[in-house]
């Protein structure tokens, strides 16, 4: 999968996850660093996916 598609996949899954997460779970994901998220998510996901996932979570967190 190319980097753009992987990032887009992460973005969509991050948004979906965040829409169903508790306030506590959201706070953990938003306050965590990129490296923290890399440790939480499955080890086989790319950096682009992790970045997209975090961006998707932040969109929901901010109400965007």
């Amino acid at each position: 999968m190319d980097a753009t598609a992987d990032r887009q996949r992460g973005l969509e899954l991050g948004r979906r996850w965040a829409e169903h997460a508790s306030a506590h779970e959201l706070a953990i994901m938003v306050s965590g660093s990129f490296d923290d998220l890399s440790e939480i998510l499955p080890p086989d996901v790319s950096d682009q996916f992790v970045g997209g996932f975090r961006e998707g979570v932040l969109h929901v967190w901010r109400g965007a």
Side-chain angles (χ1 to χ4, degrees):
M1 186 175 287
D2 72 4
T4 303
D6 213 20
R7 184 187 163 288
Q8 188 62 36
R9 186 172 150 257
L11 181 65
E12 179 60 31
L13 289 175
R15 282 183 181 165
R16 279 197 244 156
W17 178 87
E19 288 170 353
H20 300 286
S22 70
H24 177 74
E25 291 169 326
L26 274 173
I28 289 171
M29 287 299 209
V30 169
S31 66
S33 69
F34 182 89
D35 290 334
D36 292 338
L37 286 180
S38 294
E39 290 180 20
I40 293 169
L41 294 171
D44 61 340
V45 297
S46 70
D47 288 351
Q48 290 80 15
F49 179 91
V50 174
F53 187 91
R54 184 155 197 249
E55 185 178 339
V57 170
L58 288 171
H59 277 284
V60 173
W61 176 262
R62 293 177 182 147

